[in-house]
């Protein structure tokens, strides 16, 4: 394929007079355009819209779709993101007209089916969490964190307690401290110990009557279960604080243990991770939160409730609620897919997910640990963090070079440079949906790279249409409107 051709925009394929379709002749009298649209809103010359043939349009979009990596096309071991296969059955069911043609402002009486589904989802998520009160509103994990911290703030305010501090481990995802700051708290960082777990003594020393919440990820971002979780939750509760569980890693424990049972008071789910909502490139997502009963009054309103007569309704009458965190009732398309997934698997199936996810990660770890340093463990949960520190020191090959070279082998890169406590981190999460053959091929590629010329790795990927974009420039100087290729060269 001509790489340049495949990345040309439709504007660049423009040839005057080319057509894909002919519109039928108008069957209403023509109106002068400036009678319909005020003059000041009209362009002074015709817009330079592309004129292209149907085959140009078709090839353009089909070729573009092949430039991307996706779970449907490639192994995607992006740690912490749980890029598991998205069953196509969900797509079919989520696009049933009874679902996609609903309007969120329809009266409850006309949306009973959807309300029943959402109520069921609240119930399932409450049961899986061991935390019975659920809001489906947040659109992603990060928004779930913020919503739950607002709930905690409202709770302490209501109790007349001035608690201003949120404690966050240094291995946490960056959204944790960001959410705490946005919710108005001061963030205190808790160190990790030499095993990659929460440093218990450091946590103890930093707890005080001003502690509002300790945010913990379990299993943590090193792919390790916090062995002292019961002691941790106890000492936080002993000072009157709440435990927030970052549920991004639920895939490792779903159906095996419940955050509420090991002491969490609030948590978010990433439905787009654990329950197969398709995601990537920033969305879409769903980050419902589950909390203990005593926090339920503060949850975002409305919640879906079941009336005594068996009908369902949206309950807006929640005077202590923190209010809406999102329009309407959440990201319904993703919640529907998650609901179908949970219903399809049932309790036994959910247990199998975590078992298989942990098994796959440990298998991959066993294949790689003699070749790559894995600072925190012989064993892992659903993911592990290798380090390219030695490659960097001895061959000037960085985690980024390795990640980029994997693209040449037809694999999506693992997560790199996270968690921050592991230098040159390569965080790998194979998920339960990958076969032994895929994991073997992936490990072979990583091992083969060890003997490849560093120059090749530093230049990788060499087989793709786009090689090494300047990511900092792209983030700092985004080009958000079309300009011709010529003017950019
Ligand atoms: C550990 C952890 N916490 C929180 C988040 C935030 O979740 P989301 O991307 O759904 O906002 C992520 C995202 O990858 C994560 O890995």
């Amino acid at each position: 394929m001509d790489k340049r051709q495949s990345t040309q925009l439709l504007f660049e394929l423009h040839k005057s007079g080319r057509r894909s379709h002919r519109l039928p002749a108008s069957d209403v009298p023509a109106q002068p355009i400036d009678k319909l649209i005020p003059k000041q809103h009209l362009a002074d010359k015709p817009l330079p819209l592309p004129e292209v043939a149907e085959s140009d349009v078709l090839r353009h979009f089909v070729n573009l779709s092949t430039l991307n990596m996706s779970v449907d096309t490639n192994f995607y071991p992006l740690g912490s993101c749980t890029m598991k296969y998205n069953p196509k059955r969900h797509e079919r069911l989520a696009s049933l007209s009874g679902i996609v043609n609903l309007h969120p402002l329809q009266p409850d009486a006309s949306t009973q089916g959807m309300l029943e589904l959402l109520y069921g989802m609240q119930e399932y998520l409450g049961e899986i969490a061991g935390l019975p009160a659920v809001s489906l509103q947040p659109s992603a994990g990060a928004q779930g964190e913020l919503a739950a911290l607002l709930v905690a703030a409202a709770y302490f305010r209501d109790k007349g307690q001035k608690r201003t501090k949120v404690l966050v481990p240094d291995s946490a995802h960056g959204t944790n401290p960001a959410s705490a700051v946005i919710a108005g708290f001061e963030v205190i960082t808790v160190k990790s110990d030499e095993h990659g777990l929460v440093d218990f003594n450091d946590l103890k020393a930093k707890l005080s009557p001003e502690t509002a919440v300790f945010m913990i990820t379990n299993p943590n971002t090193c792919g390790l279960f916090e062995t002292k979780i019961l002691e941790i939750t106890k000492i936080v509760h002993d000072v009157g604080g709440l435990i927030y569980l970052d549920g991004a890693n639920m895939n490792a424990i779903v159906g095996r243990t419940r955050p509420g049972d090991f002491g969490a008071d609030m948590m978010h789910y990433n439905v787009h991770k654990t329950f197969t909502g398709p995601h990537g490139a920033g969305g879409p997502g769903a980050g419902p939160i589950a909390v203990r009963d005593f926090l339920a009054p503060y949850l975002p309103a409305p919640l879906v409730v079941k009336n005594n007569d068996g009908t369902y309704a949206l309950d807006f009458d929640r005077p202590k609620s923190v209010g809406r965190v999102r329009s309407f009732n959440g990201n319904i398309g993703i919640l529907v897919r998650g609901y179908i997934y949970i219903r399809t698997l049932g309790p036994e199936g959910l247990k199998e997910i975590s078992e298989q996810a942990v098994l796959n990660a440990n298998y991959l770890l066993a294949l790689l640990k003699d070749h790559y340093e894995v600072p925190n463990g012989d064993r892992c949960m659903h993911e592990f963090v290798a380090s390219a520190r030695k490659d960097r020191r001895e061959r000037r090959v960085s985690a980024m070079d390795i990640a980029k070279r994997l693209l040449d082998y037809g694999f999506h890169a693992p997560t790199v440079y996270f968690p921050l406590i592991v230098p040159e981190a390569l965080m790998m999460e194979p998920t339960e949906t990958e076969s032994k053959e895929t994991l073997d091929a992936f490990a072979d590629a990583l091992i083969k790279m060890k003997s490849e010329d560093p120059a090749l790795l530093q230049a990788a990927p060499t087989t793709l249409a786009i090689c090494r974009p300047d990511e900092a420039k792209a983030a700092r100087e985004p080009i958000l409107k079309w300009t011709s290729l010529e003017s950019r060269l």
Side-chain angles (χ1 to χ4, degrees), residues 84-105:
K84 61 168 87 175
Y85 180 69
N86 315 128
K88 297 302 155 239
R89 183 169 164 268
H90 298 182
E91 301 306 310
R92 206 175 61 243
L93 294 173
S95 59
L96 288 175
S97 66
I99 290 178
V100 293
N101 291 332
L102 282 182
H103 192 283
L105 293 181

Side-chain angles (χ1 to χ4, degrees), residues 80-152:
S80 209
C81 291
T82 314
M83 303 297 290
K84 61 168 87 175
Y85 180 69
N86 315 128
K88 297 302 155 239
R89 183 169 164 268
H90 298 182
E91 301 306 310
R92 206 175 61 243
L93 294 173
S95 59
L96 288 175
S97 66
I99 290 178
V100 293
N101 291 332
L102 282 182
H103 192 283
L105 293 181
Q106 276 176 234
D108 291 354
S110 70
T111 59
Q112 284 296 300
M114 176 55 82
L115 291 178
E116 182 175 350
L117 185 153
L118 295 177
Y119 181 81
M121 188 63 165
Q122 289 177 185
E123 295 283 290
Y124 293 147
L125 295 180
E127 175 61 26
I128 294 167
L131 299 167
V134 174
S135 162
L136 301 175
Q137 266 186 37
S139 293
Q143 207 195 8
E145 294 166 19
L146 174 61
L149 290 169
L150 293 174
V151 165

Side-chain angles (χ1 to χ4, degrees), residues 61 171 303 362 403 410 415 457 476 478:
F61 284 112
S171 59
L303 297 186
N362 278 283
T415 294
L457 281 97
R476 297 217 170 107

Side-chain angles (χ1 to χ4, degrees), residues 80-81 140-143 145 173 175-176 217 221 246 248-249 268 270 272-273 418:
S80 209
C81 291
Q143 207 195 8
E145 294 166 19
H173 196 258
T175 50
N176 287 194
T217 311
T221 60
D246 177 332
N249 292 342
H268 77 255
N270 302 71
H272 45 293
K273 299 182 185 182
F418 174 70

